[in-house]
Amino acid sequence: MPFSQNLQLRYEHDSDGCGELFAEARCGAFSGAGSAWFKQAELLAFGESLYRSFPIPAGTEIRIEGGEWKHDGDHYRLADVWLGLRVYPLGLTGTVAIRVELADIDSREQARQDSQSRARFEICTGYEEIRRFGGELLQMMRTSTGTATLYRDAP
């Protein structure tokens, strides 16, 4: 059985400039799904960063995370990640990884964190795939239709 990795994003716009981003990911025999609310401008900036990502300097990453925000003194902080994407280089060979973090929609309300269903994957790919994925994300956000998909099968 071939090893497969994929990530698919879908966005549902709201009238206030925000919307819910839905993600489904698979890495080998494991899979997960989750969602979080983002400003449209945040996702456009993320897509633009992916589209123009080459090269990502060592020790840096392109990231977007959403979930439960808590008021902490005079500002808000992300207390629980429900959907997170972090893109970073792996070495100097042109390999890029996307770390996908998802929390199941139905289990997020569980009081005990250990009772929540979560998935974390590292999907390895290359700069061309990241550029294509970033372009699909930009197209999805600008047209309010379709999906952005990063898909890779390895023998």
Side-chain angles (χ1 to χ4, degrees):
M1 179 177 177
F3 182 78
S4 67
Q5 304 178 92
N6 64 59
L7 169 64
Q8 183 170 324
L9 304 178
R10 178 177 55 85
Y11 188 70
E12 291 184 7
H13 291 268
D14 201 4
S15 60
D16 65 355
C18 294
E20 191 167 7
L21 182 66
F22 295 87
E24 294 181 20
R26 174 175 297 282
C27 191
F30 296 95
S31 64
S35 71
W37 285 80
F38 293 93
K39 294 178 183 174
Q40 184 175 356
E42 288 178 282
L43 290 168
L44 285 168
F46 180 69
E48 191 68 36
S49 293
L50 294 179
Y51 188 73
R52 302 188 188 287
S53 66
F54 181 80
I56 301 171
T60 65
E61 61 187 17
I62 301 168
R63 74 188 304 166
I64 192 162
E65 294 177 319
E68 182 179 9
W69 293 85
K70 298 247 175 153
H71 193 260
D72 188 14
D74 58 350
H75 65 283
Y76 284 88
R77 65 175 178 79
L78 187 58
D80 191 13
V81 175
W82 294 346
L83 191 161
L85 302 173
R86 295 171 39 204
V87 182
Y88 46 90
L90 290 176
L92 303 173
T93 62
T95 303
V96 181
I98 297 183
R99 180 182 166 98
V100 181
E101 186 172 352
L102 303 167
D104 179 63
I105 295 166
D106 295 328
S107 72
R108 293 191 301 220
E109 302 303 320
Q110 296 290 330
R112 286 177 9 93
Q113 192 164 8
D114 288 344
S115 297
Q116 298 173 357
S117 298
R118 296 181 178 273
R120 288 188 186 98
F121 307 115
E122 183 178 75
I123 298 174
C124 296
T125 189
Y127 280 106
E128 280 302 312
E129 280 296 305
I130 292 296
R131 180 180 169 86
R132 187 193 55 71
F133 180 64
E136 284 187 13
L137 178 57
L138 289 170
Q139 180 72 16
M140 177 184 77
M141 296 305 299
R142 290 177 179 147
T143 63
S144 302
T145 60
T147 60
T149 305
L150 178 72
Y151 181 76
R152 179 178 176 153
D153 278 331

